[in-house]
Amino acid sequence: MINELQKIRNIGISAHIDSGKTTLTERILFYTNRIHRIAEVRGKDGVGATMDHMELEKERGITITSAATYTEWNKHHVNIIDTPGHVDFTIEVERSLRVLDGAVLILCGVAGVQSQSMTVDRQMKRYKVPRIAFINKLDRSGANPRKVVEGLREKLRHNAVLMQLPIGLENDFAGVVDLVRMNALRFEGENGEHVVVEEIPADMQGEADVAREQMLDAVSMFSDELMEAILEDKVTEELIFEAVRNGVLSLELTPVFLGSAYKNKGVQPLLDAVTAYLPSPLDVENTGVDLSNDEASVVIESDPGKPLVALAFKLEDGRYGQLTYIRIYQGTVTKGSSIVNARTKRRHKIGRLVRMHSSEMEEIDEARAGDIVALFGIDCASGDTFTDGSVDLAMSAMHVPDPVISLSIKCTDQKAMANMGKALGRFVREDPTFRTEVDQESGETVISGMGELHLEVYVERMKREYEVAVETGAPQVAYRETISQRADYSYTHKKQTGGSGQYAKVAGYVEPLTDGNDFEFVNEVRGGSVPTEYIPSVEKGFQQMLEKGRLIGFPVLGMKVVLSDGQSHSVDSSDMAFQAAGRGAFREVYGKAKPIILEPVMKLAVEGPGEFQGAVIKTIMQRRGNVIGTTEDDGFCAIEAEVPLQEMFGYATDLRSVTQGKAEFTLEFSKYSPVPAEVKIALMEKYADRRQTGDEE
């Protein structure tokens, strides 16, 4: 059983947009005989890559949802998840990395370490995912793998080590030199399926010897045996493999492999590296919490014989109902058995158990610890834990970022309202970063997400999958409010309406929080002037007011409330009276604490030809942007800046026009910052007008 687990690899393929993730996955499936024809990401025949199974993905040539598949290589069972590169779909990467044991970080041989490479790397570090790197597109003009390795070391702080050398570059890229076995590999046949092993070209022998020495020097740090063998000149392939694997598992080494997925070169050696160096479920320590023991941390063992613990990490509405992707951490799942949702305590019977191959599926009867499979007809939410009922354990949840942009939507056809409700309900279940609510003032439906493209894709999916045509309002940025100085309050709530009245008095102060928390309530009441049972009521009253600030109606962050005194009445005081006093005290003190408006500021990364650098910087300055840094290399420039999200609508069109369509950009949430005075006044006037007319834009 343990031997079987050692042969499992759960890997993700992650990278910046357009680095070739989906193209690489397509080649892997072809070489492992899972598919019998290679399709391209932007297929001429409209077929599209296997892993991009949504119509939108095929049309746009981008990956929107993470797709799962499995294959066999070197007698190993490999579960692969191809993740999106666009930052708007970052939750797809988060949830994939949460359940994977290892990852392949792909880098473009020309552009090197790009902005989204850094985001993906941060996510891998958050979940302690060991990785190997693959430098792709070495057939492209300007490819320079050594420069990319330098970028890995300098920008991502990786201990990156070349395991191969390229034989030729750009149009002359013909294969790789393997520095472990010291031979040359060329890829022949119509689709590069035949790996031909040759002697290292004579003109590369000296370079290969030097590179091998550098590689051995780096990897010997992870094996005393290899270090001794180097001194005695008795180095074996097995010792190198063991040392590299030790380094990868300790997260202290990133072996780097080379190739061109599009030109079918270098993929098979990468697969060998996945099975040789990346962890099996037995190499990774997974922890959960014991719900029956005050959420104490427990180690979940990859043992098929122990009680079941599995995590639902992704939901999808398929042709046959809701599909729930699960990673089994411990125990065994069998068709027909029942499982318990640790959150809802509901018991479900497993009717169908399948292995996924993109949108296709294969029925199975049993799946064990370490496996990634899918269930049908299980009502649950993304992030739920399932057990067999004999234990009360849960896996820790994944990191879910808050939305930064909203759109109001309304049906053009009233009959489609029910379908819109169904679509929104499904999208919210599937994607934790997608939110929906009804605006209390205007009655309009508002959807929120991670960026313009994120919301655009869901609006398009409503139209296609549910035949719901919607009109969208102007994008609305997720502003926040906060206070900028300390202020005292003393408020008395008194109401007499016949019979018993309402009485509560509260006093204290508010001040800004500097530790990054949203809200803190401190009880400093002495001598029982406010009875203990009413103190939570005061806190509740304040919290109710935080949902809608008084400047522009957005949530209030970063406020510390201190309750130091008050008064009660033996008959007229109540929970309701003290909640009302809390609300009244907030209204009284908020203006005195000099409230300010915060806006989401985005990290903007623009990459393109150096000749347009000045024009690009001008577009950033015009949008209240602040340039943080620029780098220029071989006529190619990268500009990093911080720009308010409000100013970024329509930026793609501007950038295209000033760079003749030759530059690309990514946006990622960075922080909240105070808006300038003139913007604050404009926002407050707009909010006042809206409240008067009762008509939300």
Side-chain angles (χ1 to χ4, degrees):
M1 202 69 76
I2 296 300
N3 195 31
E4 277 179 37
L5 281 168
Q6 283 170 342
K7 298 282 186 184
I8 290 179
R9 296 290 180 272
N10 292 315
I11 66 161
I13 295 185
S14 300
H16 184 88
I17 311 155
D18 210 22
S19 294
K21 297 178 299 298
T22 304
T23 305
L24 175 66
T25 310
E26 194 76 5
R27 277 16 179 217
I28 288 173
L29 296 177
F30 178 76
Y31 296 136
T32 57
N33 297 318
R34 289 290 286 139
I35 57 174
H36 303 292
R37 170 176 174 251
I38 292 175
E40 300 310 334
V41 175
R42 290 182 176 86
K44 292 187 186 71
D45 50 7
V47 174
T50 308
M51 301 302 278
D52 286 347
H53 56 84
M54 278 171 59
E55 284 301 320
L56 270 171
E57 292 180 311
K58 289 173 184 173
E59 279 173 27
R60 290 173 183 249
I62 59 168
T63 301
I64 291 170
T65 60
S66 49
T69 187
Y70 74 96
T71 189
E72 304 277 337
W73 184 258
N74 283 352
K75 297 182 179 170
H76 284 70
H77 180 97
V78 185
N79 290 311
I80 303 171
I81 296 187
D82 170 29
T83 61
H86 202 289
V87 74
D88 282 19
F89 308 108
T90 193
I91 189 64
E92 293 289 339
V93 184
E94 287 279 347
R95 60 169 146 217
S96 302
L97 292 175
R98 172 67 186 81
V99 299
L100 294 170
D101 300 324
V104 179
L105 175 64
I106 305 183
L107 300 154
C108 172
V110 182
V113 175
Q114 295 165 278
S115 54
Q116 193 63 17
S117 319
M118 297 182 194
T119 302
V120 166
D121 187 63
R122 263 202 320 276
Q123 291 170 316
M124 288 181 188
K125 282 177 180 156
R126 182 182 294 138
Y127 297 110
K128 296 184 173 63
V129 177
R131 70 286 237 176
I132 59 179
F134 180 69
I135 300 177
N136 194 22
K137 301 192 176 184
L138 293 187
D139 59 304
R140 291 273 184 96
S141 176
N144 184 344
R146 289 195 183 276
K147 190 182 83 177
V148 181
V149 171
E150 281 308 307
L152 267 172
R153 289 174 186 149
E154 288 168 17
K155 294 183 182 176
L156 300 184
R157 300 279 179 265
H158 279 224
N159 179 13
V161 178
L162 273 171
M163 304 301 290
Q164 297 171 336
L165 289 180
I167 301 173
L169 280 173
E170 302 178 348
N171 285 337
D172 300 324
F173 180 57
V176 295
V177 170
D178 180 344
L179 297 176
V180 176
R181 296 188 174 92
M182 287 304 278
N183 54 27
L185 304 175
R186 294 181 190 269
F187 306 88
E188 296 180 357
E190 190 183 343
N191 295 302
E193 59 268 42
H194 303 304
V195 182
V196 180
V197 181
E198 299 176 350
E199 293 287 316
I200 295 172
D203 60 342
M204 287 189 69
Q205 189 65 53
E207 186 190 354
D209 289 338
V210 171
R212 177 179 165 93
E213 204 171 306
Q214 290 170 340
M215 180 269 290
L216 288 176
D217 193 40
V219 304
S220 64
M221 303 301 292
F222 303 98
S223 166
D224 293 340
E225 289 95 332
L226 178 58
M227 207 173 271
E228 282 174 28
I230 292 169
L231 294 172
E232 295 169 9
D233 202 20
K234 292 181 180 172
V235 175
T236 63
E237 287 173 23
E238 287 70 25
L239 283 173
I240 299 173
F241 282 129
E242 187 190 344
V244 175
R245 185 171 166 79
N246 290 343
V248 171
L249 296 187
S250 67
L251 304 177
E252 290 174 22
L253 180 73
T254 305
V256 180
F257 298 86
L258 311 174
S260 165
Y262 185 63
K263 289 291 172 72
N264 310 312
K265 290 180 171 63
V267 178
Q268 296 94 324
L270 178 68
L271 276 168
D272 290 339
V274 164
T275 56
Y277 304 132
L278 288 179
S280 75
L282 293 172
D283 298 314
V284 179
E285 184 178 280
N286 293 298
T287 56
V289 293
D290 188 344
L291 300 175
S292 61
N293 185 21
D294 201 25
E295 297 199 358
S297 183
V298 288
V299 174
I300 310 288
E301 293 179 40
S302 294
D303 184 342
K306 293 208 158 190
L308 174 71
V309 179
L311 178 74
F313 68 95
K314 178 175 160 64
L315 310 182
E316 206 177 86
D317 254 30
R319 287 169 290 183
Y320 312 105
Q322 182 172 297
L323 194 60
T324 304
Y325 287 80
I326 62 168
R327 159 75 197 260
I328 306 168
Y329 285 96
Q330 181 177 284
T332 302
V333 172
T334 52
K335 188 175 168 180
S337 64
S338 63
I339 54 176
V340 175
N341 186 324
R343 179 178 60 87
T344 64
K345 307 304 179 199
R346 283 184 60 194
R347 189 171 282 276
H348 303 272
K349 187 169 183 185
I350 299 172
R352 287 180 72 192
L353 185 63
V354 296
R355 264 192 223 292
M356 294 305 297
H357 172 47
S358 187
S359 59
E360 301 302 313
M361 58 197 72
E362 180 184 309
E363 300 272 349
I364 55 172
D365 294 325
E366 181 181 87
R368 295 175 173 175
D371 226 337
I372 292 175
V373 291
L375 313 171
F376 270 108
I378 305 290
D379 184 25
C380 67
S382 190
D384 281 354
T385 301
F386 291 107
T387 68
D388 58 6
S390 66
V391 290
D392 198 8
L393 304 176
M395 300 302 294
S396 53
M398 66 198 108
H399 170 74
V400 179
D402 286 326
V404 292
I405 184 172
S406 304
L407 274 182
S408 64
I409 59 168
K410 62 179 178 188
C411 278
T412 51
D413 172 11
Q414 285 304 307
K415 292 176 189 166
M417 282 291 284
N419 274 2
M420 184 172 93
K422 274 186 208 164
L424 292 177
R426 169 188 161 186
F427 298 154
V428 167
R429 274 201 316 276
E430 284 182 13
D431 182 351
T433 59
F434 179 78
R435 317 270 168 89
T436 177
E437 62 177 355
V438 175
D439 186 284
Q440 297 303 316
E441 288 175 15
S442 67
E444 284 187 333
T445 301
V446 176
I447 57 174
S448 308
M450 301 308 295
E452 275 187 285
L453 179 64
H454 191 205
L455 297 184
E456 203 182 293
V457 162
Y458 278 118
V459 168
E460 188 63 28
R461 283 183 66 187
M462 266 189 262
K463 194 190 292 182
R464 294 184 182 209
E465 296 170 32
Y466 288 88
E467 296 178 352
V468 177
V470 294
E471 284 177 358
T472 57
Q476 175 65 67
V477 167
Y479 291 104
R480 294 290 182 262
E481 297 182 25
T482 191
I483 55 173
S484 60
Q485 67 177 40
R486 176 183 157 138
D488 295 322
Y489 64 87
S490 178
Y491 183 83
T492 305
H493 173 71
K494 195 189 285 186
K495 210 170 186 184
Q496 200 66 44
T497 51
S500 62
Q502 288 185 21
Y503 181 85
K505 181 178 179 181
V506 292
Y509 64 90
V510 298
E511 65 181 6
L513 273 175
T514 54
D515 58 5
N517 285 329
D518 291 348
F519 176 70
E520 187 182 332
F521 183 83
V522 180
N523 171 24
E524 288 184 359
V525 173
R526 299 287 174 267
S529 55
V530 177
T532 311
E533 67 266 27
Y534 295 140
I535 284 165
S537 310
V538 181
E539 180 179 358
K540 197 171 179 185
F542 269 99
Q543 274 192 305
Q544 285 165 355
M545 299 302 286
L546 296 179
E547 291 171 15
K548 216 166 191 184
R550 299 179 67 75
L551 293 180
I552 57 169
F554 278 85
V556 179
L557 302 178
M559 185 188 240
K560 180 180 180 180
V561 177
V562 178
L563 177 66
S564 55
D565 201 2
Q567 213 174 327
S568 66
H569 187 278
S570 56
V571 176
D572 292 350
S573 287
S574 65
D575 166 48
M576 294 294 287
F578 273 97
Q579 277 193 47
R583 292 194 294 271
F586 177 90
R587 281 190 285 265
E588 176 197 274
V589 80
Y590 192 60
K592 292 193 284 185
K594 293 274 170 69
I596 55 175
I597 298 169
L598 301 173
E599 64 182 345
V601 173
M602 311 300 281
K603 184 176 132 199
L604 168 70
V606 184
E607 292 168 341
E611 63 192 280
F612 300 114
Q613 184 171 331
V616 171
I617 288 175
K618 191 177 172 189
T619 66
I620 292 169
M621 305 308 278
Q622 286 167 343
R623 293 170 181 263
R624 292 198 283 125
N626 175 30
V627 176
I628 298 166
T630 61
T631 54
E632 200 165 349
D633 193 8
D634 289 343
F636 185 82
C637 81
I639 301 164
E640 281 195 10
E642 287 184 339
V643 193
L645 175 60
Q646 178 64 49
E647 305 292 335
M648 288 306 294
F649 300 123
Y651 184 65
T653 310
D654 270 15
L655 185 66
R656 267 199 299 270
S657 66
V658 301
T659 63
Q660 299 166 17
K662 293 175 184 173
E664 60 172 34
F665 76 97
T666 58
L667 267 186
E668 185 180 357
F669 174 71
S670 173
K671 62 187 178 186
Y672 272 99
S673 288
V675 299
E678 66 275 15
V679 177
K680 178 181 176 182
I681 292 164
L683 287 169
M684 288 173 68
E685 285 173 355
K686 195 173 169 187
Y687 179 59
D689 291 346
R690 210 163 63 211
R691 295 194 72 183
Q692 274 179 350
T693 59
D695 180 28
E696 186 110 17
E697 284 194 344

